């Protein structure tokens, strides 16, 4: 539920951002839309030819084309004539390639959106010192990192706490740094072969 909603929110945001930035012909959005048009053209041509060559209802032709380009290939609708099969050989190569290009362009568009999100800086207005810094109204480096990662949606509070707990477990001597001595002590203290003295 939440992951699907976040995915579609990211898609809408990516399209919105590309439009707001001008959306010229070299943009990720324009590239994605061009590839969608090519894929749509391939599906329409395939459906038209299969309808003409096979005499199959339109809905079955479109269904066959979509199932084929998505590489699902259920096999419940297939070309029965030699002409239809010959056409299908070449059409499938083009259709699957067009689908791959479209998925690639879609991924590039989402990754570009994620890059922009990561590079956006927090302003001082974004850091509510009273909320983040507590009573002393100041924020140290670790508090800023935590706030940035959570505010940008890269992690949540529980994930951040898990990182802190992991660091603390590895910092065996408690000096605030992890070094070779800590790693060796951690191995010794967590070893299953370790014998406890009574």
């Amino acid at each position: 539920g939440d992951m699907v909603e976040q995915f579609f929110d990211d898609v809408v945001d990516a399209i919105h951002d590309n439009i707001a930035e001008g959306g010229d012909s070299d943009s990720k959005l324009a590239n994605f839309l061009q590839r969608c048009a090519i894929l749509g053209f391939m599906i329409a041509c395939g459906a038209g030819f299969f309808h003409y060559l096979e005499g199959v209802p339109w809905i079955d032709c479109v269904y066959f084309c979509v199932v084929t380009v998505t590489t699902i290939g259920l096999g419940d609708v297939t070309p029965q004539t030699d002409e239809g099969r010959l056409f299908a050989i070449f059409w499938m190569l083009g259709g699957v390639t067009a689908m791959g290009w479209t998925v690639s362009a879609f991924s590039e568009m989402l990754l570009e959106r994620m890059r922009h999100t990561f590079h956006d800086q927090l302003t001082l207005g974004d850091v509510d010192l009273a909320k983040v810094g507590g009573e002393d109204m100041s924020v140290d480096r670790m508090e800023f990192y935590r706030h940035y990662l959570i505010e940008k949606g890269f992690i949540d509070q529980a994930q951040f706490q898990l990182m802190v707990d992991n660091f603390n477990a590895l910092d065996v001597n408690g000096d605030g740094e992890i070094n070779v001595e800590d790693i060796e002590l951690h191995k010794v203290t967590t070893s299953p072969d370790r014998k406890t003295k009574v």
Side-chain angles (χ1 to χ4, degrees):
D2 290 338
M3 196 165 81
V4 173
E5 284 180 34
Q6 182 63 43
F7 172 77
F8 284 109
D9 287 345
D10 288 345
V11 171
V12 170
D13 288 345
I15 292 171
H16 181 282
D17 288 350
N18 276 301
I19 291 170
E21 291 170 6
D24 61 283
S25 61
D26 294 330
S27 75
K28 303 290 183 197
L29 175 63
N31 189 27
F32 172 64
L33 293 176
Q34 288 169 353
R35 291 180 183 188
C36 283
I38 292 169
L39 179 62
F41 176 76
M42 288 296 296
I43 291 172
C45 285
F49 273 97
F50 287 118
H51 179 72
Y52 172 74
L53 293 171
E54 300 289 320
V56 178
W58 279 104
I59 189 69
D60 289 336
C61 294
V62 172
Y63 170 78
F64 168 76
C65 291
V66 170
V67 166
T68 301
V69 299
T70 56
T71 68
I72 295 171
L74 298 173
D76 53 343
V77 178
T78 58
Q80 300 299 311
T81 65
D82 289 340
E83 296 84 7
R85 289 181 181 144
L86 184 62
F87 175 75
I89 291 170
F90 298 102
W91 178 85
M92 287 177 188
L93 293 173
V96 170
T97 301
M99 183 67 174
W101 285 345
T102 305
V103 169
S104 172
F106 181 73
S107 299
E108 288 173 11
M109 189 175 68
L110 286 182
L111 286 173
E112 187 67 22
R113 164 80 176 145
M114 290 172 65
R115 276 193 281 278
H116 283 299
T117 300
F118 186 74
H119 290 295
D120 288 347
Q121 293 184 350
L122 287 175
T123 65
L124 287 177
D126 293 330
V127 181
D128 182 351
L129 291 178
K131 180 179 172 189
V132 179
E135 291 180 15
D136 64 353
M137 298 286 285
S138 66
V139 178
D140 66 21
R141 184 184 306 258
M142 186 59 70
E143 289 170 331
F144 181 82
Y145 291 160
R146 178 182 55 80
H147 181 72
Y148 181 90
L149 292 170
I150 292 170
E151 189 70 25
K152 291 296 181 181
F154 293 114
I155 61 173
D156 60 23
Q157 181 61 40
Q159 292 166 321
F160 185 82
Q161 189 59 49
L162 185 64
M163 289 187 330
V164 170
D165 294 343
N166 191 20
F167 180 89
N168 290 338
L170 293 173
D171 181 20
V172 178
N173 63 13
D175 64 358
E177 295 180 354
I178 298 173
N179 53 35
V180 175
E181 179 185 340
D182 287 314
I183 300 299
E184 293 301 321
L185 283 171
H186 187 265
K187 285 179 186 176
V188 169
T189 59
T190 59
S191 171
D193 297 333
R194 183 175 160 233
K195 295 180 181 176
T196 56
K197 294 181 181 178
V198 182

